[in-house]
Amino acid sequence: DIQMTQSPSTVSASVGDRVTFTCRASQSINSWLAWYQQKPGKAPKLLIYLASSLESGVPSRFSGSGSGTEFTLTISSLQPDDFATYYCQQYHTHSTFGQGTKLEIK
Amino acid sequence: EVQLVESGGGLVQPGGSLRLSCIASGFTFSNYWMYWVRQAPGKGLVWVSRINTDGSSIEYADFVKGRFTISRDNAKNTLYLQMNSLRAEDTALYYCARGDPSGASYFDYWGQGTLVTVSS
């Protein structure tokens, strides 16, 4: 099975900061990677698919990059609505999620 | 507007069964692969099962193989998850999610989830 590892597990940041999350796959998944945002009590929301394609309606401050085993999600300028937990997901072989990175207010 | 509405969760004893349903609306259900994903309280997301457009191709996570059965009724726009031999570790919020028409397994729409609690 393909394992997905996200780092860090928690990030503390302020409104306006640039934040980057990392996701590593245990083997190459090409670009078969998605990123989701989840707020407490809510279903996950798709942000990025195919590693770098922005889902319709998602603000352009979100961007994704990477291929193979190393991927990043960047928020260029944090907004108050962005404080949430972020998950990566590989869909190269079945599907596996990372354990999540919680973005907290500093 | 795309909507996915799950139901059927509840409290069940270990070894018991439940059948989850997910009613879809706002899109052509029969064109999309569908998935079940679960989230234990305070934990992360875990893929459970997927079914292709006509039900001819199905996959399960190893931890539910032989116990859970995914199915769909395209005439009723409904996805199901029959859950048997339930264990305490199956306690979770179960989401249904829509995949891509091509079968790429990222999920662009999710339901709000139905809570399954396995406890004596």
Side-chain angles (χ1 to χ4, degrees):
Chain A
D1 290 358
I2 298 175
Q3 307 302 316
M4 305 301 293
T5 302
Q6 291 186 242
S7 60
S9 56
T10 305
V11 173
S12 296
S14 302
V15 173
D17 285 353
R18 179 184 180 90
V19 176
T20 297
F21 308 112
T22 299
C23 178
R24 292 185 174 86
S26 59
Q27 64 188 73
S28 176
I29 57 170
N30 299 318
S31 295
W32 303 112
L33 185 104
W35 289 97
Y36 300 85
Q37 177 194 70
Q38 187 179 34
K39 297 181 179 179
K42 299 293 187 180
K45 173 186 176 182
L46 177 66
L47 301 174
I48 301 283
Y49 61 96
L50 209 56
S52 60
S53 296
L54 192 68
E55 172 69 353
S56 176
V58 174
S60 58
R61 64 181 179 273
F62 291 91
S63 64
S65 65
S67 66
T69 62
E70 298 269 338
F71 301 88
T72 60
L73 172 70
T74 299
I75 308 174
S76 60
S77 179
L78 272 175
Q79 299 301 301
D81 190 49
D82 299 338
F83 292 96
T85 299
Y86 292 84
Y87 293 94
C88 63
Q89 177 219 4
Q90 69 82 16
Y91 52 99
H92 175 276
T93 305
H94 294 176
S95 176
T96 317
F97 291 88
Q99 79 279 18
T101 294
K102 185 175 182 180
L103 178 58
E104 297 182 331
I105 300 173
K106 183 184 287 184
Chain B
E1 178 192 7
V2 171
Q3 284 195 315
L4 299 170
V5 179
E6 302 96 334
S7 62
L11 175 63
V12 61
Q13 292 187 339
S17 298
L18 279 176
R19 188 195 198 199
L20 307 185
S21 299
C22 171
I23 298 177
S25 60
F27 65 102
T28 304
F29 179 70
S30 59
N31 287 353
Y32 288 81
W33 293 43
M34 296 297 296
Y35 299 80
W36 288 100
V37 177
R38 74 185 189 184
Q39 187 169 35
K43 302 297 185 182
L45 301 165
V46 179
W47 174 86
V48 174
S49 184
R50 68 99 171 136
I51 186 167
N52 71 340
T53 55
D54 64 2
S56 61
S57 176
I58 285 171
E59 289 190 277
Y60 299 98
D62 286 346
F63 55 82
V64 304
K65 277 182 185 175
R67 300 189 300 125
F68 291 10
T69 302
I70 190 173
S71 62
R72 65 190 297 162
D73 185 336
N74 287 341
K76 295 182 178 180
N77 291 341
T78 305
L79 174 72
Y80 301 101
L81 187 67
Q82 178 67 44
M83 310 166 67
N84 297 332
S85 302
L86 283 162
R87 307 166 179 166
E89 55 265 36
D90 295 319
T91 294
L93 188 62
Y94 284 75
Y95 294 103
C96 70
R98 189 181 85 165
D100 179 88
S102 69
S105 303
Y106 65 86
F107 314 129
D108 60 353
Y109 285 93
W110 299 63
Q112 285 307 298
T114 186
L115 181 63
V116 173
T117 303
V118 184
S119 175
S120 55

